[in-house]
Structures are given as C-alpha cells and as structure tokens.
Amino acid sequence: MPKPPEALYLDRIATPVGEGLLVTDAEGFLRAFDWTTHEDRMHLLLRRQNPPTSLRAGRAPNAIRGALETYFAGDLGALSKIRWRTGGTDFQRAVWTALCTIPVGETVSYKGLARRIGKPSAMRAVGLANGANPIGIVVPCHRVIGSDGSLTGYGGGMDRKQWLLTHEGAAFRRAA
C-alpha cells in the first residue's frame, strides 16, 4: 500500500522585496521559501525533491516567521535560527549545506563553492544544484556570484539578489 502524501503547509509573508511563500512541515521545519512571482517554480522543486506531498494553507511557525521578519528588519544573523530540511540528491544537499557556511556579508564563486564540497571541477553541477535550492534566502544561494565578482542568476530575480546582497553588506560588481 503506498504511503499517504506528506502534509506541507503554505503561508505567505510580506517582505521589502515582495511577498514570500513559506512551506513548512508538521514538525515545524522550513521546506521551501520562494516568491509569489515564482510560485510555479517552487511547486516544481517541491515535486521533484520530495516524496508525494499535499500542500495546504497553514500558518508557518512563529519562530520561522519571526526570524524572517527580523532578518528583513536588519538582524542579518536571524536566518541561522531557522530549522530547515529538504529532499534532493546527496550532491544537492551537500551544496545546500555548503551554502549555509557562507557568512552574511560575504560571497563565493561557483568555483569556490565547488572547492568547499571537495569537488573543484564540478562548477556546473554546483551551479545546477544552487539553482535547484528550494529554500531561498535561508539557504543563501543569493551569495553565489561570478568569479569576476559580477551578479549571476538567481531564481528570485536579479533585482532581489542585488537587494539581498546590498542588505547584507556584501561586495559585488553591479551590472552596467
């Protein structure tokens, strides 16, 4: 008999850069964070990286909401308090864990991130895993930039990436 779908809960939160979507599980872990403008992408990542799930409306735990609100208000270390988990491959989870080692206010290149996980020639695979990160901001994929210091793609949009890095005080080369 197949296992019933796991219940996940969808909440929304206002941020200075648009409405965010928070997906949590019954144990209070954050499973996804994305933007309403990219909701289809979030659903796709949830389907690809998790066993069958059932997504329904529900309020995220106060600890998660509070940490996000505090981060956007200027307490840049607040996100480290959020408990998260995700599916994905072992390689993807290694990349996402490595993203969490990038300090606030710093950036790393794809090459640097590949080195951090012990796979220095896997820059393209690291880029793909970074792009498949379902927990934006908390798992800080926005802190990955080009080797020359330029902004590179971000699933939430380049304007948001620039805002987030500026908010965190990170150095990067602005687009012309």
Side-chain angles (χ1 to χ4, degrees):
M1 176 172 266
K3 183 178 172 184
E6 178 184 17
L8 297 179
Y9 304 95
L10 175 64
D11 195 4
R12 296 170 187 274
I13 187 170
T15 80
V17 286
E19 187 176 47
L21 301 169
L22 294 85
V23 176
T24 55
D25 63 23
E27 295 177 50
F29 286 89
L30 182 65
R31 299 288 288 274
F33 179 90
D34 216 321
W35 308 100
T36 54
T37 53
H38 295 80
E39 188 166 356
D40 290 343
R41 184 182 85 94
M42 181 194 73
H43 288 286
L44 177 65
L45 292 176
L46 284 170
R47 279 193 311 273
R48 284 183 178 167
Q49 298 171 5
N50 294 284
T53 58
S54 167
L55 190 59
R56 54 187 84 148
R59 186 165 171 86
N62 288 336
I64 293 173
R65 291 183 64 85
L68 283 160
E69 289 166 353
T70 302
Y71 166 81
F72 283 111
D75 179 358
L76 303 177
L79 298 181
S80 65
K81 299 172 186 153
I82 295 176
R83 299 181 323 148
W84 60 272
R85 73 171 152 211
T86 186
T89 66
D90 290 342
F91 181 81
Q92 287 173 324
R93 287 191 307 273
V95 170
W96 300 333
T97 299
L99 287 170
C100 292
T101 69
I102 306 168
V104 172
E106 294 184 21
T107 57
V108 68
S109 67
Y110 291 99
K111 185 176 187 175
L113 190 56
R115 281 191 200 123
R116 283 184 188 215
I117 65 166
K119 305 222 182 263
S121 64
M123 292 172 294
R124 289 187 194 277
V126 162
L128 290 171
N130 192 55
N133 171 22
I135 307 177
I137 301 177
V138 176
V139 176
C141 53
H142 62 279
R143 295 183 189 149
V144 181
I145 62 174
S147 294
D148 64 356
S150 64
L151 294 183
T152 55
Y154 176 63
M158 294 300 285
D159 289 345
R160 283 192 183 108
K161 181 172 186 158
Q162 184 170 320
W163 188 95
L164 292 166
L165 290 175
T166 300
H167 179 63
E168 295 180 355
F172 59 92
R173 200 178 83 219
R174 295 184 191 278

